[in-house]
Amino acid sequence: MQVGDGYRAKNSEMGTPGLAFARAGNIKDGFKFANADFLHERSVALAGEKVSAPYDVVFTSKGTVGRYAFVDPNMERFVYSPQLCFWRSLEHEQLDPFVLKQWIESPSFGEQVDRVKGQTDMAEYVSLRDQRRMTLPTFSVESQRRIRGPLASAQRRVWHNVRESATLAQLRDALLPKLLSGELSVKSAERILEATA
């Protein structure tokens, strides 16, 4: 397993085209990149392993400590900022990422975070060193295989609902001004919505 933190980008490295630069504020009930900054494509290679990978479990480790997100394999890649840490299963047979995600959201992980997050006089912070010292229970390969199906099924429904919600929000934002201005009739808007369903 790999526990890593985000890329310390310089202001001169930011810009488009590139990949979204995820900060703590972009994590709330999943990932929200509507107002995200971008790491310019010429610097993406420098970020190396700090670029998202499918099934990473993401943890806010500075400021607002304890927000979590799970990287949907259908998402566009993005770059982690220093406010974020990622937990990445490198061998899915030995540590299933769905099991890892459940553990990170459990009281067992939360209690370990609570013990170390207030060690400075400044904002709450959980160092990479402290995270790498945390104890993860041993899950047998057989038990992970048994639970993986239900966990994966439930998570895929969550990811599907998040994508559907984002699509509906985009449609709302596109159609509402046209409805209010009279440029688009209610019937026309209904037809557009039916076509996207």
Side-chain angles (χ1 to χ4, degrees):
M1 182 175 62
Q2 179 182 6
V3 180
D5 61 357
Y7 180 65
R8 284 156 183 78
K10 301 180 183 85
N11 287 338
S12 60
E13 294 180 280
M14 307 305 286
T16 56
L19 299 183
F21 192 66
R23 302 180 195 274
N26 299 116
I27 294 182
K28 188 171 181 177
D29 301 323
F31 297 96
K32 312 282 189 223
F33 290 128
N35 298 312
D37 292 322
F38 282 78
L39 182 69
H40 199 280
E41 62 185 11
R42 66 178 169 263
S43 295
V44 167
L46 299 174
E49 64 192 17
K50 297 167 190 291
V51 174
S52 67
Y55 307 111
D56 281 353
V57 186
V58 183
F59 167 67
T60 56
S61 59
K62 294 180 183 175
T64 308
V65 170
R67 288 186 189 167
Y68 310 98
F70 196 29
V71 177
D72 180 344
N74 295 308
M75 289 178 68
E76 294 282 332
R77 293 182 320 140
F78 58 92
V79 179
Y80 298 117
S81 77
Q83 301 165 328
L84 304 178
C85 287
F86 62 90
W87 290 56
R88 182 176 294 160
S89 171
L90 300 174
E91 187 58 58
H92 291 191
E93 272 295 304
Q94 296 303 311
L95 179 59
D96 188 280
F98 293 96
V99 172
L100 175 62
K101 183 250 186 192
Q102 288 302 117
W103 174 74
I104 284 185
E105 292 183 343
S106 76
S108 171
F109 181 75
E111 287 162 9
Q112 293 183 74
V113 166
D114 288 343
R115 281 198 294 268
V116 297
K117 70 181 182 181
Q119 294 182 56
T120 68
D121 294 338
M122 298 165 58
E124 291 183 338
Y125 171 62
V126 182
S127 73
L128 202 53
R129 185 181 66 213
D130 284 335
Q131 289 179 65
R132 288 176 175 158
R133 289 179 178 165
M134 291 179 179
T135 56
L136 176 69
T138 302
F139 305 104
S140 72
V141 171
E142 294 76 20
S143 66
Q144 290 183 76
R145 283 181 184 153
R146 279 196 305 273
I147 199 168
R148 184 187 199 286
L151 289 177
S153 177
Q155 184 61 51
R156 287 189 181 108
R157 281 197 302 274
V158 169
W159 282 330
H160 171 78
N161 290 342
V162 166
R163 288 192 298 270
E164 192 171 76
S165 177
T167 300
L168 290 172
Q170 287 173 344
L171 275 171
R172 177 203 62 215
D173 293 345
L175 295 177
L176 192 57
K178 293 180 179 184
L179 282 166
L180 292 174
S181 70
E183 183 183 338
L184 189 67
S185 71
V186 172
K187 284 208 176 291
S188 297
E190 286 173 348
R191 281 195 293 273
I192 292 168
L193 289 172
E194 287 170 9
T196 60

